[in-house]
Amino acid sequence: METNRQKKIGGVLQKDLVDILQGEIRKNGISNLIISVSKVAVTTDLSVARVHLSIFPQDKAKETLEGIKSNAILIKHDLSQRVRLQLRKVPNLTFYIDDSLDYIEKIDNALSKKENPIEDRSLLEKRKKI
């Protein structure tokens, strides 16, 4: 269970990470890519922030995530400049692809077809635990 402090810090980080990532996309002239930060979960000791990203189009998600991971130190530095008055120490950032929209889409598609997973549970994929 997240404490109010973790939620507040996650919210601050999420807002600034969106600005940083979208600013980098604009600065590099990439027009056909959308990145949104769907969730930031901070550990209880506030040392690590798990950043869940939704990347569209989906086929560029893996390569975009690798680029973001390789620049995590620079992103953390930019973030620390933005939140230096709010946080003493910026948590280490770990980035993940948020697949919840894909999961929802698969369920919608399955329900609209004759192969309804409610009637036949073996048709549904098991959801990965993070």
Side-chain angles (χ1 to χ4, degrees):
M1 169 106 179
E2 270 190 324
T3 64
N4 280 341
R5 181 179 169 99
Q6 286 172 284
K7 289 177 187 172
K8 285 180 183 177
I9 291 172
V12 167
L13 296 177
Q14 182 175 5
K15 181 181 160 296
D16 287 321
L17 280 168
V18 167
D19 291 344
I20 291 168
L21 293 173
Q22 290 179 349
E24 285 301 312
I25 289 173
R26 268 185 252 112
K27 191 165 48 174
N28 293 319
I30 303 168
S31 61
N32 58 346
L33 185 68
I34 299 171
I35 298 176
S36 65
V37 180
S38 54
K39 184 180 180 188
V40 176
V42 183
T43 57
T44 52
D45 64 354
L46 309 177
S47 65
V48 178
R50 295 172 58 103
V51 182
H52 297 268
L53 304 171
S54 291
I55 301 171
F56 184 82
Q58 190 65 34
D59 59 330
K60 293 187 178 184
K62 202 166 219 159
E63 101 184 39
T64 304
L65 182 66
E66 291 306 314
I68 290 171
K69 282 181 176 180
S70 66
N71 290 306
I73 294 169
L74 296 172
I75 294 169
K76 181 179 176 182
H77 180 265
D78 282 358
L79 187 62
S80 68
Q81 296 302 308
R82 291 171 180 248
V83 299
R84 68 180 183 268
L85 300 176
Q86 295 157 309
L87 296 175
R88 275 188 233 140
K89 184 175 183 274
V90 176
N92 291 325
L93 305 172
T94 55
F95 295 95
Y96 302 91
I97 291 179
D98 182 12
D99 64 344
S100 58
L101 292 177
D102 296 335
Y103 188 70
I104 291 168
E105 185 179 354
K106 284 181 185 177
I107 291 173
D108 283 344
N109 289 340
L111 290 173
S112 64
K113 296 178 183 171
K114 291 180 182 169
E115 301 156 358
N116 191 329
I118 292 174
E119 294 160 6
D120 182 6
R121 293 254 183 216
S122 65
L123 295 172
L124 257 181
E125 291 180 35
K126 298 288 183 204
R127 180 96 194 250
K128 291 176 270 179
K129 289 189 178 182
I130 299 175

